[in-house]
């Protein structure tokens, strides 16, 4: 057998051992797994994890990880016993808010292919006899949930992979990472150096410490979480044969931040209903291998009874039978939390060949291992990893203070009912555009993303609601879709379509790619032909090698060797930086290329509307006519005495430009346009109106409307792919594919009743079968109806009727031709 790359996995917990197994299954054979603890009980989170697996998640990615984990652990058997006890899962509601949330959660389950059912109070009691039925209103039952026997799974995986040639080294401390230039070459340990071509850190809550060895910020915070076992519960006597056996469903009481499982005739109770307890891993000390046991390990801290007592009282209310038992044993176990609650996966941008798979819970462990093994062996995970990518955070989100505060807040909110737009209360105002002071004067309502404050609407526009035609007034929203929304957005959409509006586009990621090798780099990475004259602007895609859409960008050629990119975030930045480094290192002087993130030093105003040209002509002597600046062209201009790069682009579907200048000139530019626009009725408009106008034009948003799980033809973006181009990443995978030949297509839906507004991720049914899910949705103020986009089978055609499930009720919608607004592009090109 040919030798494969030398792999070193740091951490022999449920993630590291699963990863070794997944790599072996794909033919890789040169693997070493290290752990600082003894292999029979390494002492990390896996060693004490209670193992409850609830698969349903708002994230398709996380649900996919959990589904695979269930499948794999069920198949991992010895002596006829698997590593997963599929007792099912039950989440109960004691408030109307929670019951509504469980109905929404059932929608997620349907979207992601997980079977579930909403149960009445009586049905919950029948399924789970120990419940106090007077306390509950109903529940969500998922039969395929259950208990992962994590410690047993680790031992079986070690046994299986050792037989396949994987080397394990327990009681071996990692002391450093060896490198040559920007490439990993080995792992320094207490037992010497282990050479490596690829290193994957699966070190759990020690992950930040391993990352620091290469100067990499791994944004996770170890936090303690309480778990207790009771004395025998009389009502449980004789119910389970095994000491840790379980036959009842795993149970979640999220209104009190609690979960439950059986341990034979005892109960296990997990609580998040206590203060966050951050842990400094440097204070944990070292444990002699012979002293590590179930009750003595680094990840198991002393129990603080006073923190648990309120949870114990709430438990006796929900499960009265437990009043006859006592707390026998408890501990504060360490888990990893991150700023956005997601795991940290992928290759470091600091060091080639160094990967992380951190902040991964048992629930998602095998799924994450599968994705990482696919990434390593083929360059692509079948499951999109965008929301888990280690490079997704902005620099300001990697600071210790930010990581600590936001991770602790995620602990506090772990079981809260959170709206998709729920804003952080703190930290805020980390990044503001040069227009922020003006936005505050106009009564901007701000939400936060990537550390940026983004105005969603402006209270100063409220008076416009009385001026605009009645047909623009949106219908009353239900309480859920009405959160973090305002009818003012309708007025802002109206003024954009009929006059002129100014949008703050500053938070959108901007990169400058320059140097003699810039064109070569971009030609290889993008689907369009970018060998155009300076001044050309091109919409194009970044694909992976399998043809999946890893991003969509705009590229403006500002000079022969200088390009400005409008990208989707820090993941794109890391991708371009790595590719530029490789090209520069391996090529000649003519291949040299530099990537700069210019976002913070620049700003952008989207000036859009039929009167945009009238406005800009008041403050500029440059030619903004069709001939002077055509659609998808850029040029340097002067506006109000300020140097500006103007690009004739519009994601709202109206005449106008993206106007870029340096951050120090931003407020002057805003003021010049604002003052000149007053006679024309100029307004400031926010993201809420922008999102609606975008969908009316059928413009896609990466991360929701397309990911690496979709190819350009499925996403309706075939026009951005130039197959005649000599080569680009992903071209080979797209050969022979067409939009017409795609098995599924991203389709535009319009809601038939004209008023029911959905938000995204809801399941779509066709002939009573769940066939897809909503990607983006908004009320279309111009077309006066709710709009949603969804991936549907190609057999579902324009004109067909479908149903969207929203909080348990079905909403009828029609598959519609797109775009809904200005299909001939006369508004944009006018």
């Amino acid at each position: 057998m040919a030798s494969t790359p030398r792999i070193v996995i740091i951490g022999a917990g449920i993630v590291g051992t699963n990863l070794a197994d997944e790599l072996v299954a794909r033919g890789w054979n040169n693997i070493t797994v290290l752990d600082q603890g003894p292999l029979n009980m390494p002492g990390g989170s896996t060693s004490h994890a209670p193992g409850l697996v609830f698969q349903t998640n708002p994230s398709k990615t996380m649900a996919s990880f959990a589904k695979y984990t269930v499948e794999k652990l069920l198949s991992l058997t010895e002596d006829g016993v698997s590593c997963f006890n599929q007792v099912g899962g039950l989440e109960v509601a004691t408030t109307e808010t929670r019951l509504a949330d469980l109905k929404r959660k059932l929608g997620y389950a349907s979207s992601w292919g997980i079977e579930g059912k909403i149960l009445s109070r009586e049905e919950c009691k029948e399924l789970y006899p120990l419940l106090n039925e007077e306390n509950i209103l109903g529940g969500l039952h998922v039969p395929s949930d259950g208990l992962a026997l994590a410690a047993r799974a680790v031992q079986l995986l070690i046994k299986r992979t050792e037989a396949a040639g994987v080397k394990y080294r327990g009681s071996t401390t990692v002391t450093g990472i060896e490198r040559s230039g920007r490439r990993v070459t080995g792992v320094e340990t207490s037992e010497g150096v282990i050479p490596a071509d690829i290193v994957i850190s699966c070190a759990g809550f020690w992950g930040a410490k391993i990352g620091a060895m290469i100067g990499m910020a791994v944004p996770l915070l170890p936090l303690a979480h309480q778990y207790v076992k009771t004395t025998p519960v009389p009502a449980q006597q004789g119910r389970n044969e095994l000491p840790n056996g379980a036959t009842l469903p795993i149970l979640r009481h999220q209104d009190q931040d609690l979960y439950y499982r059986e341990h034979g005739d005892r109960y296990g109770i997990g609580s998040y209903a206590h203060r966050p307890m951050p842990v400094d891993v440097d204070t944990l000390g070292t444990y002699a291998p012979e002293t590590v046991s179930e009750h003595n390990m680094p990840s198991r801290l002393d129990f603080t009874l006073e923190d648990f007592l309120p949870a114990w009282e709430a438990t006796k209310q929900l499960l009265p039978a437990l009043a006859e038992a006592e707390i026998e044993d408890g501990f504060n176990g360490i888990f990893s939390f991150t700023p956005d609650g997601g795991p940290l996966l992928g290759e470091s941008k600091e060091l080639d060949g160094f990967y992380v798979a951190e902040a991964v819970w048992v629930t998602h462990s095998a799924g994450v291992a599968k994705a990482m093994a696919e990434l390593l062996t083929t360059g692509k995970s079948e499951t999109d990893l965008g929301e888990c990518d280690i490079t997704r955070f902005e620099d300001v989100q990697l600071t210790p203070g930010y990581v600590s505060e936001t991770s602790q807040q995620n602990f506090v909110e772990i079981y809260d009912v959170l709206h998709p737009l729920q804003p952080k209360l703190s930290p805020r105002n980390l990044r503001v555009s040069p227009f922020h002071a003006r936005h505050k004067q106009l009564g901007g309502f701000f939400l936060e993303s990537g550390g940026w404050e983004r105005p969603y609407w402006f209270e100063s526009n409220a008076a416009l609601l009385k001026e605009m035609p009645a047909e623009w007034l949106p219908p009353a929203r239900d309480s859920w879709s009405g959160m973090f929304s305002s009818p003012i957005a309708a007025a802002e959409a109206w003024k954009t379509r009929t006059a002129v509006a100014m949008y703050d586009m500053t938070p959108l990621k901007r990169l400058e790619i320059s140097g003699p090798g810039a064109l070569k780099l971009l030609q290889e990475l993008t689907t369009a032909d970018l060998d155009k004259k300076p001044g050309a602007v091109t919409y194009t895609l970044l694909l992976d090698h399998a043809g999946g859409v890893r991003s969509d960008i705009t590229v403006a050629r500002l000079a022969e060797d200088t390009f400005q990119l409008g990208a989707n975030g820090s993941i794109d930045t890391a991708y371009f930086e790595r590719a530029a480094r490789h090209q520069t290192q391996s090529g000649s002087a003519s291949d040299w290329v530099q990537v700069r993130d210019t976002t913070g030093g620049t700003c952008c105003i989207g000036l859009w509307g039929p009167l945009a040209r009238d406005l800009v002509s008041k403050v500029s002597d440059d030619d903004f006519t069709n001939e002077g600046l055509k659609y998808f062209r850029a040029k340097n201009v002067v506006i109000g005495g300020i140097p500006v790069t103007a690009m004739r682009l519009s994601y709202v579907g109206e005449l106008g430009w993206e106007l870029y200048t340096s951050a120090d000139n931003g407020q002057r530019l805003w003021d010049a346009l604002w003052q000149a626009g007053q006679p024309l009725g100029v307004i400031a408009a926010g993201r809420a109106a922008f999102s609606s106008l975008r969908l009316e034009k059928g413009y896609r948003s990466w991360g929701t409307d397309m990911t690496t799980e979709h190819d350009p033809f499925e996403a309706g973006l075939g026009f951005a792919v130039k197959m005649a181009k000599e080569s680009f990443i992903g071209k080979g995978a797209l050969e022979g594919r067409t939009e017409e030949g795609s098995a599924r297509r991203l389709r535009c839906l319009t809601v038939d009743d004209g008023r029911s507004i959905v938000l995204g991720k809801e399941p779509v049914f066709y002939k009573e079968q769940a066939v897809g899910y909503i990607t983006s949705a908004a009320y279309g103020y111009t077309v006066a109806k709710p709009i949603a986009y969804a991936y549907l089978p190609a057999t579902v055609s324009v004109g067909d009727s479908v149903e969207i499930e929203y909080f348990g009720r079905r909403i009828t919608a029609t598959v519609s031709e797109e775009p809904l607004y200005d299909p001939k592009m006369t508004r944009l090109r006018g």
Side-chain angles (χ1 to χ4, degrees):
M1 181 187 292
S3 183
T4 54
R6 297 169 298 177
I7 307 294
V8 174
I9 297 170
I10 301 172
I14 192 70
V15 181
T17 53
N18 258 304
L19 176 56
D21 187 61
E22 295 289 334
L23 288 170
V24 165
R26 287 161 178 79
W28 282 26
N29 57 17
N30 198 341
I31 303 166
T32 302
V33 183
L34 311 175
D35 204 285
Q36 63 182 344
L39 293 176
N40 66 328
M41 188 170 285
S45 299
T46 301
S47 301
H48 66 69
L52 287 77
V53 176
F54 290 93
Q55 299 165 85
T56 307
N57 194 291
S59 161
K60 181 176 184 290
T61 293
M62 299 302 285
S64 298
F65 289 159
K67 283 176 64 180
Y68 182 78
T69 300
V70 168
E71 293 167 11
K72 181 164 184 180
L73 294 184
L74 275 172
S75 70
L76 186 61
T77 62
E78 187 174 69
D79 299 328
V81 180
S82 85
C83 290
F84 192 77
N85 184 2
Q86 203 159 39
V87 291
L90 177 64
E91 300 176 60
V92 294
T94 59
T95 65
E96 291 291 348
T97 298
R98 180 67 61 185
L99 186 60
D101 189 59
L102 293 182
K103 292 176 180 177
R104 184 168 63 103
K105 188 173 278 189
L106 177 61
Y108 294 146
S110 299
S111 290
W112 316 143
I114 300 169
E115 181 186 343
K117 183 183 179 183
I118 296 293
L119 303 184
S120 66
R121 170 190 287 130
E122 294 75 20
E123 289 171 319
C124 289
K125 176 71 172 179
E126 184 179 348
L127 181 66
Y128 208 104
L130 272 62
L131 281 172
N132 178 359
E133 62 185 307
E134 294 179 5
N135 274 27
I136 63 174
L137 302 176
L140 170 62
H141 179 223
V142 176
S144 57
D145 288 344
L147 288 163
L149 310 181
R152 181 171 183 266
V154 166
Q155 296 310 307
L156 293 188
L157 288 166
I158 290 175
K159 183 177 179 181
R160 183 158 89 183
T161 53
E162 273 189 327
V166 175
K167 302 179 185 68
Y168 283 85
R169 296 192 184 186
S171 306
T172 302
T173 303
V174 173
T175 57
I177 306 297
E178 284 208 332
R179 65 170 78 195
S180 175
R182 297 288 291 267
R183 181 84 211 176
V184 70
T185 59
V187 177
E188 300 172 12
T189 77
S190 54
E191 308 298 319
V193 174
I194 303 172
D197 302 305
I198 295 172
V199 175
I200 310 102
S201 177
C202 305
F205 58 80
W206 284 285
K209 198 168 183 177
I210 300 295
M213 294 176 180
I214 65 163
M216 175 187 182
V218 178
L220 65 79
L221 180 72
L223 284 163
H225 156 61
Q226 293 196 304
Y227 192 77
V228 307
K229 288 183 182 178
T230 68
T231 57
V233 177
Q236 286 289 96
Q237 188 172 359
R239 184 176 180 91
N240 296 300
E241 295 180 7
L242 299 174
N244 270 317
T247 53
L248 288 174
I250 55 175
L251 179 66
R252 224 163 21 184
H253 181 21
Q254 290 171 294
D255 289 322
Q256 292 292 334
D257 296 321
L258 293 167
Y259 63 82
Y260 306 90
R261 62 155 293 181
E262 299 169 279
H263 289 281
D265 59 0
R266 290 166 165 79
Y267 251 78
I269 307 168
S271 172
Y272 294 99
H274 55 81
R275 62 192 168 89
M277 303 177 192
V279 177
D280 180 355
V281 295
D282 289 329
T283 67
L284 297 179
T286 57
Y287 284 63
E290 63 273 11
T291 68
V292 175
S293 68
E294 181 185 350
H295 295 278
N296 186 55
M297 63 179 75
S299 62
R300 182 179 165 126
L301 306 182
D302 291 340
F303 187 57
T304 51
L305 178 63
E306 65 276 12
D307 289 303
F308 189 78
L309 289 176
W312 181 234
E313 292 305 311
T315 291
K316 290 184 283 187
Q317 290 290 317
L318 183 73
L319 301 169
L322 269 64
E324 299 184 55
E326 297 177 354
I327 298 170
E328 182 176 69
D329 176 42
F331 64 93
N332 292 357
I334 305 176
F335 291 90
S336 299
F337 281 75
T338 62
D340 60 5
L344 307 170
L345 311 179
E347 188 174 14
S348 159
K349 63 181 181 181
E350 286 81 9
L351 189 63
D352 291 347
F354 185 90
Y355 291 77
V356 299
E358 306 288 19
V360 180
W361 292 14
V362 169
T363 299
H364 310 108
S365 55
V368 163
K370 172 178 176 285
M372 290 298 294
E374 290 168 346
L375 190 65
L376 291 168
T377 58
T378 71
K380 175 198 172 79
S381 162
E382 289 181 2
T383 303
D384 181 68
L385 301 182
E387 62 191 59
C388 307
D389 195 305
I390 182 63
T391 63
R392 69 187 181 270
F393 297 101
E394 297 290 328
D395 287 346
V396 72
Q397 298 174 301
L398 297 172
T399 61
Y402 184 93
V403 172
S404 177
E405 180 177 351
T406 54
S407 298
Q408 289 186 60
Q409 189 60 27
N410 278 327
F411 179 92
V412 170
E413 296 177 346
I414 190 165
Y415 282 165
D416 289 0
V417 178
L418 298 177
H419 192 273
L421 292 176
Q422 193 95 25
K424 288 184 178 72
L425 298 180
S426 176
R428 292 293 295 268
N429 294 309
L430 298 176
R431 307 177 82 187
V432 297
S433 82
F435 323 127
H436 186 67
R438 299 295 184 253
H439 291 165
K440 290 184 73 173
Q441 291 168 0
L442 294 169
F445 177 84
F446 296 91
L447 296 178
E448 177 269 345
S449 178
W452 284 101
E453 296 296 321
R454 300 185 179 206
Y456 269 62
W457 64 83
F458 295 89
E459 291 296 330
S460 60
N461 294 326
L464 296 173
L465 290 168
K466 298 177 182 177
E467 298 178 23
M468 69 184 190
E471 60 267 24
W472 283 82
L473 283 170
R477 291 177 178 244
D478 67 278
S479 59
W480 185 252
S481 70
M483 290 177 70
F484 310 110
S485 75
S486 169
I488 293 172
E492 293 175 2
W494 170 63
K495 290 294 278 187
T496 306
R497 292 278 190 243
T498 60
V500 60
M502 294 165 60
Y503 289 80
D504 183 3
M505 307 301 288
T506 301
L508 301 182
K509 179 69 70 176
R510 285 177 294 287
L511 304 177
E512 181 188 88
I513 297 185
S514 60
L519 179 62
K520 177 182 177 181
L521 180 81
L522 289 167
Q523 286 287 68
E524 179 61 18
L525 299 185
T526 69
T527 59
D529 184 0
L530 301 179
D531 191 6
K532 302 174 181 177
K533 294 178 181 178
V537 183
T538 308
Y539 173 82
T540 186
L541 307 176
L542 307 178
L543 305 181
D544 58 30
H545 287 280
V549 181
R550 60 172 301 136
S551 191
D552 68 332
I553 61 174
T554 54
V555 181
R557 191 171 197 176
L558 302 182
E560 199 67 28
D561 290 345
T562 305
F563 297 80
Q564 178 176 309
L565 276 60
N568 278 305
S570 295
I571 297 174
D572 288 350
T573 309
Y575 179 65
F576 279 110
E577 286 177 341
R578 183 178 291 115
R581 186 169 72 246
H582 292 169
Q583 179 176 300
T584 298
Q585 289 172 347
S586 62
S588 62
S590 63
D591 289 324
W592 181 85
V593 60
Q594 173 180 275
V595 177
R596 287 199 312 130
D597 182 347
T598 61
T599 313
T602 56
C603 59
C604 178
I605 296 171
L607 182 69
W608 294 311
L611 301 183
R613 190 171 282 134
D614 297 331
L615 191 161
V616 79
S617 66
K618 293 174 176 283
V619 283
S620 178
D621 293 329
D622 287 286
D623 187 356
F624 281 87
T625 64
N626 257 331
E627 289 304 312
L629 185 53
K630 294 179 178 177
Y631 188 53
F632 265 80
R633 296 286 297 175
K635 71 175 182 179
N636 293 325
V637 297
V638 176
I639 297 176
I642 300 158
V644 170
T645 299
M647 297 186 194
R648 180 102 180 262
L649 307 176
S650 172
Y651 282 90
V652 300
E654 297 295 335
L655 168 70
W657 308 271
E658 292 180 357
L659 304 174
Y660 297 91
T661 192
S662 56
D664 58 330
N665 280 316
Q667 187 166 295
R668 282 180 60 215
L669 178 62
W670 180 277
D671 290 346
L673 293 168
W674 185 256
Q675 184 175 353
Q678 291 310 301
L680 301 171
V682 71
I683 63 159
R687 296 291 301 178
F690 179 91
S691 297
S692 170
L693 300 173
R694 170 184 79 80
L695 281 185
E696 290 180 338
K697 281 297 294 177
Y699 292 141
R700 282 36 174 165
S701 176
W702 185 83
T704 53
D705 297 321
M706 68 279 192
T707 68
T708 56
E709 294 182 13
H710 311 104
D711 74 32
F713 302 108
E714 294 171 324
L717 297 173
F719 67 89
V721 179
K722 304 306 178 190
M723 293 299 288
K725 188 174 161 184
E726 184 176 347
S727 77
F728 57 84
I729 289 176
K731 181 182 178 184
L734 296 186
E735 295 287 356
R737 298 192 203 180
T738 63
E739 192 166 319
E740 295 71 25
S742 299
R744 60 179 175 179
R745 304 262 295 273
L746 185 62
R747 294 290 199 180
C748 176
L749 310 179
T750 52
V751 174
D752 292 352
D753 67 17
R755 64 178 185 276
S756 296
I757 298 166
V758 299
L759 299 180
K761 302 185 179 181
E762 297 87 357
V764 179
F765 292 80
Y766 179 65
K767 296 181 178 178
E768 293 303 315
Q769 296 294 315
V771 295
Y773 60 92
I774 301 300
T775 58
S776 292
Y779 185 79
Y781 299 110
T782 318
V783 299
K785 60 181 72 172
I787 306 167
Y789 273 76
Y791 279 97
L792 300 176
T795 52
V796 183
S797 305
V798 171
D800 284 346
S801 181
V802 298
E803 290 181 310
I804 305 168
E805 187 169 289
Y806 182 69
F807 286 93
R809 69 184 179 93
R810 298 284 179 89
I811 298 167
T812 305
T814 300
V815 181
S816 302
E817 289 278 8
E818 59 166 335
L820 297 172
Y821 179 75
D822 189 27
K824 295 184 178 179
M825 304 282 280
T826 55
R827 308 278 293 190
L828 280 170
R829 299 179 184 276

